[in-house]
């Protein structure tokens, strides 16, 4: 019987490649066969060392989602009595989204047939063996910043590791227990080809730098070497100086918006050549791709033979700037194609006729698209992590602009399945670590309420309501019964709220405000399932928490949370009228919430001014996707040192149509949704999905 299998030691290891092998011996020549393959990551299939199939989308599942691999051609050509099937699966790491404790997985169902019609089952089981290649760098981030990393492509695995023979380091596969098997989910992630030709910035020759400019350190530090070569880069359009010494060739692409997906290189070389591939979110002072924190690009190295070869990289890549550097003096030509991965959605509807706003919306669409994978990822470069706060706001963007609930639903189920024993919702799931962020846990009941309000998904509510109860019970055990304040002094807890230099009082107020909003969502969910007793308990707890916060709240983060999560009249009565005056957060995530809080306060002009100030200046600074942090005054040290593609910052995706239509789709009640539309300066076409239907103009 076919089972989900993995190796015994690397179930949650990021950036993991595992090979799976099954040797079939028959009494007659094997001439035909087919496999249905599902894997928790990109995979490749070889038969006797011959590549027969590849699949790049992050995950797949048995049934209609499995990939059919026809083996007739390779088996029929060989007609051997022995065949070795190898499947290589690449596990991205924390950005892969499946049941807890079972991040990796392979499922194969199929048969090989002999010339006399005998069938040999090759379904996955403990009869398969596993192997982790020694040259694969384990447990590194999915974007490899360190130097000297050799990428794995279709051509990389040596035939000795793919054909019959015991080999070194092969061990029996492990079958998953029932409670660890990956859960079949309604997936809509697809690959879409992006032609890079129109974005070729330049090709040229690399010249040897003067000796004084050669950086110290070992030559294997290819990333440093690549950056240092910037001083001697010469575009083909420029004449070669007399006496210059060519040392290689290069090409550079720069795309309008950051992409995430899989890269294929086609190389024509007249002699064996080493090629470095540099991928980055930006370009440095010399025009080379660069990452944000390390100041270097992610560098992959491939050694290509003479002639034409194609290299499909297994490793998911993200970039806005992409370059290749061929070392040596031989003639080399490189063509690149890229397949982006994203959950399929209809295009959000917004056109204003004003170039600035239309570009702002286009950047928002591109940013949200990158984060919409099997689940919502916080960023493609660093973690690809599924965090509660990031996922919750991305789900709102998705529900309000596309009306498609599939990723939001999967996200909620993932967090419910990963709930800690004490009832706390983990900040990040799946993960090999346990992130304990109290305010993220408290956002999850509101995430559930938002989803149910938009979709009416009663089946989901029935499934996750027990987790909502356990989450709010967890918060109750850490709440002072007299003051209603949450006790945050716990080992391993990190109270986040936002990237901001909080005073202790301000941070406490933000956490307590989030607790109040969680209780308000709990009341709504309890009423929806007919749990009147718990609704009454949570309503009383809400009153105690709000009493502890007072009725003249001036902390802008806490005020924003209450305005966006409580019933408007009650929130306005608690917040000081000047609480948001002049407040500009450091993150696009919280700036979105402040814009919405201004709408709740009846001040759409302030919301539009903040949108113009925050995202407008980031656009002027060259953003192709929205950054994790930004300060219009450039006072934030990490304004350009954090992620340069962070979907939690894609607020204009929904704020622009909200302002144009005068509709707040996130209001709890329809009567609180309308407000005075803003004149954006052009003829607007826009649409928003709301719990009460589609609003368009």
């Amino acid at each position: 019987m076919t089972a989900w299998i993995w190796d015994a030691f690397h179930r949650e290891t990021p950036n993991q490649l595992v090979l799976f092998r099954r040797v079939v011996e028959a009494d007659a020549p094997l001439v035909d066969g087919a496999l249905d393959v599902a894997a928790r990551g990109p995979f490749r299939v070889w038969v006797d060392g011959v590549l027969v199939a590849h699949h790049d989308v992050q995950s797949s599942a048995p049934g209609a989602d499995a990939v059919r691999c026809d083996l007739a051609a390779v088996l029929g050509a060989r007609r051997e009595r022995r065949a070795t099937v190898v499947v290589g699966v690449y596990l991205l790491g924390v950005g892969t989204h499946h049941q807890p404790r079972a991040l990796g997985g392979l499922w194969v169902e199929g048969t090989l047939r002999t010339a006399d019609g005998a069938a040999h089952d090759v379904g996955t089981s403990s009869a398969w063996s596993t192997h982790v290649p020694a040259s694969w760098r384990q447990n590194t981030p999915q974007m490899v910043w360190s130097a000297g990393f050799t990428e794995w492509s279709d051509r990389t695995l040596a035939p000795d590791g793919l054909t019959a023979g015991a080999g070194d380091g092969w061990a029996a596969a492990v079958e998953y227990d029932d409670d660890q098997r990956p859960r079949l989910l309604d997936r809509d992630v697809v690959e879409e080809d992006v032609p890079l030709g129109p974005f070729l910035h330049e090709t040229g020759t690399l010249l040897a730098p003067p000796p004084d400019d050669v950086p110290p350190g070992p030559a294997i530090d290819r990333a440093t070497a690549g950056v240092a070569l910037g001083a001697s880069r010469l575009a083909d359009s420029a004449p070669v100086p007399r006496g210059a010494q060519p040392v290689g060739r290069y090409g550079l692409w720069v795309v309008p918006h950051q992409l995430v997906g899989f890269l294929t290189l086609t190389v024509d070389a007249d002699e064996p050549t080493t090629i470095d591939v540099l991928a980055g979110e930006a370009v440095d002072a010399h025009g080379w791709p660069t990452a944000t924190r390390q100041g270097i690009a992610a560098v992959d190295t491939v050694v290509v033979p003479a002639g034409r070869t194609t290299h499909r990289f297994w490793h998911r890549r993200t970039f806005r700037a992409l370059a290749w550097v061929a070392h040596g003096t031989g003639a080399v030509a490189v063509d690149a194609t890229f397949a982006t991965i994203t959950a399929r959605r209809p295009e959000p509807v917004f056109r204003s006729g004003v170039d600035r706003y239309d570009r702002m919306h286009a950047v928002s669409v591109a940013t949200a698209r990158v984060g919409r994978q099997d689940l919502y990822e916080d960023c493609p470069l660093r973690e690809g992590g599924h965090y509660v706060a990031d996922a919750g706001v991305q789900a709102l963007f998705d529900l309000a602009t596309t009306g498609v609930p599939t990723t939001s639903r999967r996200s909620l189920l993932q967090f419910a399945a990963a709930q800690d024993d004490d009832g706390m919702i983990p900040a990040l799931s799946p993960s090999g670590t346990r992130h304990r962020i109290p305010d993220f846990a408290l956002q999850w009941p509101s995430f559930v309420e938002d989803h149910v309000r938009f979709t009416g998904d009663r089946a989901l509510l029935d499934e996750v309501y027990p987790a909502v109860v356990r989450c709010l019970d967890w918060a109750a055990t850490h709440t002072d019964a007299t003051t209603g304040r949450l006790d945050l002094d716990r080992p391993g807890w990190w109270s986040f709220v936002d990237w901001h230099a909080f005073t202790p009082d301000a941070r406490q107020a933000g956490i307590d405000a989030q607790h109040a909003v969680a209780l308000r969502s709990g009341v709504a969910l309890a009423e929806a399932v007919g749990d009147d007793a718990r609704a009454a308990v949570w309503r009383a707890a809400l009153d105690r928490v709000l009493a502890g916060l007072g009725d003249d709240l001036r902390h802008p983060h806490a005020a924003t949370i209450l305005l966006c999560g409580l019933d408007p009249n009650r929130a306005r009565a608690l917040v000081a009228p000047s609480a948001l005056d002049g407040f500009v957060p450091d993150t696009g995530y919280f700036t979105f919430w402040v814009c919405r809080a201004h709408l709740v306060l009846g001040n759409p002009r302030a919301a539009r001014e903040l949108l113009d100030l925050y995202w407008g200046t980031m656009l002027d600074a060259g953003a192709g996707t929205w950054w994790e942090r930004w300060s219009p005054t450039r006072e934030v040290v990490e304004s350009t040192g954090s992620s340069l593609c962070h979907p939690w910052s894609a607020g204009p995706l929904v704020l622009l149509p909200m302002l144009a239509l005068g509709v707040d789709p996130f209001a709890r009640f329809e009567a609180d949704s309308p407000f005075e539309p803003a004149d954006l300066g052009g003829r607007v076409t826009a649409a928003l999905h709301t719990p009460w239907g589609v609003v368009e103009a």
Side-chain angles (χ1 to χ4, degrees):
M1 181 178 177
T2 297
W4 280 99
I5 62 172
W6 197 246
D7 82 327
F9 307 107
H10 301 94
R11 292 195 176 191
E12 297 190 11
T13 306
N15 190 33
Q16 179 70 45
L17 174 66
V18 179
L19 302 180
F20 299 84
R21 187 171 67 181
R22 176 68 187 274
V23 179
V24 176
E25 296 185 350
D27 295 330
L30 294 158
V31 297
D32 193 10
L35 307 176
D36 289 324
V37 181
R40 293 314 195 186
F43 66 84
R44 306 289 190 266
V45 179
W46 295 264
V47 174
D48 293 334
V50 177
L51 179 71
V52 295
H54 62 80
H55 187 66
D56 286 337
V57 174
Q58 291 186 69
S59 68
S60 52
D65 197 38
V67 177
R68 171 59 61 96
C69 303
D70 189 347
L71 311 182
V74 64
L75 291 173
R78 295 179 60 81
R79 298 185 67 85
E80 300 286 345
R81 296 185 179 187
R82 180 186 177 104
T84 300
V85 177
V86 173
V87 181
V89 181
Y90 169 54
L91 174 65
L92 292 174
V94 296
T96 53
H97 309 302
H98 312 290
Q99 290 294 83
R101 305 181 309 282
L103 301 186
L106 173 67
W107 181 95
V108 174
E109 187 173 77
T111 57
L112 306 188
R113 297 186 180 276
T114 61
D116 59 8
H120 295 263
D121 177 61
V122 289
T124 43
S125 67
S126 57
W128 284 61
S129 54
T130 69
H131 175 58
V132 175
S135 56
W136 180 264
R137 180 172 295 179
Q138 307 298 341
N139 202 27
T140 53
Q142 60 176 306
M143 286 297 295
V144 179
W145 295 309
S146 54
F149 178 77
T150 299
E151 179 57 275
W152 284 65
S153 71
D154 292 348
R155 298 178 50 83
T156 309
L157 293 177
D160 291 346
L162 300 173
T163 54
D168 295 329
W170 289 87
V174 175
E175 297 183 15
Y176 282 148
D177 296 332
D178 287 344
D179 66 342
Q180 293 181 306
R181 290 176 183 170
R183 177 175 179 165
L184 180 61
L185 299 174
D186 179 18
R187 298 181 55 257
D188 46 14
V189 174
V190 294
E191 281 189 301
E192 297 175 352
D193 290 336
V194 175
L196 295 180
F199 307 111
L200 182 63
H201 182 68
E202 66 181 45
T203 57
T205 300
L206 296 174
L207 307 179
D212 292 343
D213 292 342
V214 176
I220 199 171
D221 192 350
R222 309 195 72 92
T224 301
V227 173
L229 284 170
S232 58
R233 193 173 86 187
L234 186 69
D236 285 336
S237 58
V240 178
R242 177 178 295 182
Q245 180 185 351
V247 294
R249 293 282 298 166
Y250 74 90
L252 173 67
W253 295 268
V254 180
V255 297
H257 309 294
Q258 191 158 328
L259 302 174
V260 62
F262 295 91
L263 176 67
T264 299
L265 295 184
T266 301
V267 181
D268 288 289
D270 66 356
E271 61 184 42
T273 304
T274 299
I275 296 179
D276 289 338
V277 182
L278 294 78
E281 292 189 309
V283 293
D284 67 6
H286 299 298
W288 289 109
T290 180
T292 52
R293 290 193 167 186
Q294 281 68 24
I296 61 174
V299 178
D300 302 323
T301 302
V302 291
V303 179
V304 304
R308 168 167 285 200
T309 51
T310 299
H311 304 264
R312 291 181 58 89
F313 291 92
W314 288 32
H315 206 59
R316 192 179 78 165
R317 275 287 169 256
T318 182
F319 66 88
R320 190 179 178 192
L322 177 73
W324 59 269
V325 175
H327 299 272
T329 57
V332 179
V334 178
D335 185 33
T337 58
F338 196 74
T340 65
I341 49 174
T342 187
R344 182 185 285 116
R345 292 290 186 275
E347 282 296 311
V349 178
F350 177 80
R351 290 186 300 277
S352 70
V354 177
D355 178 69
R356 187 170 184 77
Y357 289 134
D358 289 344
R359 286 192 296 129
M360 198 179 289
H361 188 261
V363 171
S364 302
V365 170
T367 307
R369 190 179 190 278
V370 167
R372 191 189 299 121
Q373 301 294 328
D374 273 353
L375 294 177
Y376 296 112
E377 297 188 6
D378 70 326
C379 60
L381 176 64
R382 282 207 308 274
E383 297 153 313
H386 178 230
Y387 285 89
V388 175
D390 300 73
V393 75
Q394 289 178 74
L396 290 180
F397 299 162
D398 224 5
L399 292 168
T401 63
T402 73
V404 179
T406 51
T407 311
S408 176
R409 194 177 202 276
R410 286 195 302 274
S411 175
L412 290 166
L413 290 170
Q414 176 64 41
F415 287 118
Q419 189 170 31
D420 289 327
D421 292 340
D422 64 356
M424 191 176 189
I425 296 292
L428 169 66
S429 176
S431 173
T433 62
R434 307 307 291 176
H435 280 41
R436 307 273 286 182
I437 304 180
D439 49 299
F440 280 24
L442 292 168
Q443 288 188 40
W444 187 75
S446 298
F447 186 178
V448 176
E449 186 201 1
D450 289 334
H451 178 92
V452 173
R453 189 170 63 249
F454 267 87
T455 65
D457 190 345
R458 180 57 189 265
L460 174 86
L461 177 55
D462 289 342
E463 182 171 355
V464 303
Y465 181 70
V468 173
V469 173
R470 290 192 295 272
C471 179
L472 292 178
D473 285 350
W474 155 79
T477 63
H478 298 287
T479 302
D480 187 301
T482 303
T483 65
R485 312 304 295 269
L486 270 174
D487 180 1
L488 306 179
D489 188 15
R490 292 288 184 275
W493 285 20
W494 173 36
S495 299
F496 173 74
V497 183
D498 189 22
W499 289 118
H500 183 79
F502 288 100
T503 65
D505 284 348
R507 190 181 299 276
Q508 179 71 54
I511 296 294
D512 289 331
Q514 197 67 67
H515 187 197
V517 171
L519 288 165
R520 178 62 184 91
S521 292
V523 170
L525 295 172
E527 291 174 342
V529 300
D531 190 351
D532 295 337
R534 280 200 174 88
V537 170
W538 290 337
R539 196 176 292 111
L542 170 60
D543 292 340
R544 287 193 297 274
V545 173
L546 294 180
L549 281 168
D551 58 1
D552 191 34
L553 189 64
R554 297 180 181 274
H555 297 301
H557 282 85
T560 297
I561 292 168
L562 293 181
L563 288 165
C564 292
L566 294 185
D567 301 294
N569 289 336
R570 189 167 196 183
R572 288 190 287 260
L574 295 167
V575 171
S578 61
L580 302 186
D581 289 355
F583 177 47
V584 182
D586 294 343
T587 63
Y589 157 69
F590 216 85
T591 303
F592 161 73
W593 292 117
V594 176
C595 287
R596 181 167 178 252
H598 282 304
L599 297 178
V600 174
L601 289 172
N603 195 350
R605 178 177 178 179
R608 178 184 171 180
E609 289 174 349
L610 180 55
L611 180 145
D612 287 336
L613 175 66
Y614 189 88
W615 284 282
T617 56
M618 201 192 312
L619 189 71
D620 293 340
T625 46
W626 297 124
W627 302 339
E628 179 182 9
R629 301 179 67 181
W630 172 247
S631 169
T633 60
R634 312 297 176 94
E635 293 174 356
V636 178
V637 174
E638 289 198 357
S639 286
T640 57
S642 298
S643 160
L644 297 186
C645 182
H646 228 72
W648 76 357
S649 294
L653 180 66
V654 68
L655 287 171
L656 285 166
M658 285 170 65
L659 288 168
L661 296 171
V663 171
D664 179 2
F666 310 121
R668 186 171 275 111
F669 303 107
E670 184 176 7
D672 296 321
S673 175
F675 60 88
E676 185 66 28
D679 181 2
L680 299 182
R683 184 178 178 84
V684 172
T685 300
L688 281 175
H689 297 260
T690 78
W692 316 285
V694 177
V695 179
E696 53 191 337

